[in-house]
Amino acid sequence: MSTLLDFSAAVATGGRGNTLSGGQIVDVITGGTPLTTIVNPGANCALSYVTCGDNGYRIMPDTDCSLTLTGGQPGQIQIMRILIIQSPAGNSVVTWPSNVIWPDGVPFVDSRSGAVMCAEIMFDGDNHYYGRRIFG
């Protein structure tokens, strides 16, 4: 089967025979977890889940920062992705929220200049938060 996309029937057929409409292709390309950027949050940075679905934050601290976490819809599993990027000056210590359960231990946030780390926190729909380090 060809890997070329043929839109003559208003759909694209992939190499495995699956079809997508033009709208579905656009949704896949532009979809994903929306990230809100917070630059220089100060000593405290409040993070909250959106009303429906998943969300995330890109945090660039300029000083030591404590994260707090709230929200999550009852009966709905939600994921929050948190990307922490140290400033060129670095040396910002980031403290994770105390209400998160970290099965593999609380992740270390490198404070060196330009260091990047990513974690996800899942709300289980029943007032519990579980976190895991993705990278960094």
Side-chain angles (χ1 to χ4, degrees):
M1 177 171 277
S2 172
T3 58
L4 296 176
L5 298 178
D6 177 9
F7 283 100
S8 61
V11 296
T13 303
R16 290 186 274 167
N18 299 326
T19 60
L20 289 174
S21 72
Q24 288 171 313
I25 292 172
V26 170
D27 289 346
V28 168
I29 292 171
T30 61
T33 303
L35 294 178
T36 301
T37 300
I38 303 174
V39 179
N40 305 334
N44 296 299
C45 183
L47 309 176
S48 62
Y49 286 87
V50 291
T51 304
C52 182
D54 301 334
N55 68 318
Y57 293 91
R58 181 183 304 113
I59 303 167
M60 295 179 258
D62 63 340
T63 186
D64 293 353
C65 180
S66 293
L67 305 177
T68 58
L69 183 63
T70 60
Q73 294 300 309
Q76 185 180 123
I77 293 176
Q78 292 178 279
I79 302 290
M80 178 185 293
R81 184 163 291 135
I82 301 171
L83 183 66
I84 300 172
I85 305 167
Q86 291 285 345
S87 71
N91 296 321
S92 297
V93 174
V94 176
T95 305
W96 291 104
S98 61
N99 58 340
V100 176
I101 299 165
W102 300 93
D104 296 327
V106 178
F108 171 73
V109 179
D110 193 341
S111 63
R112 291 179 293 174
S113 171
V116 178
M117 81 86 55
C118 184
E120 284 184 338
I121 300 176
M122 179 190 77
F123 176 71
D124 69 356
D126 192 29
N127 297 321
H128 298 100
Y129 302 99
Y130 299 91
R132 69 183 184 118
R133 178 174 108 19
I134 304 297
F135 67 83

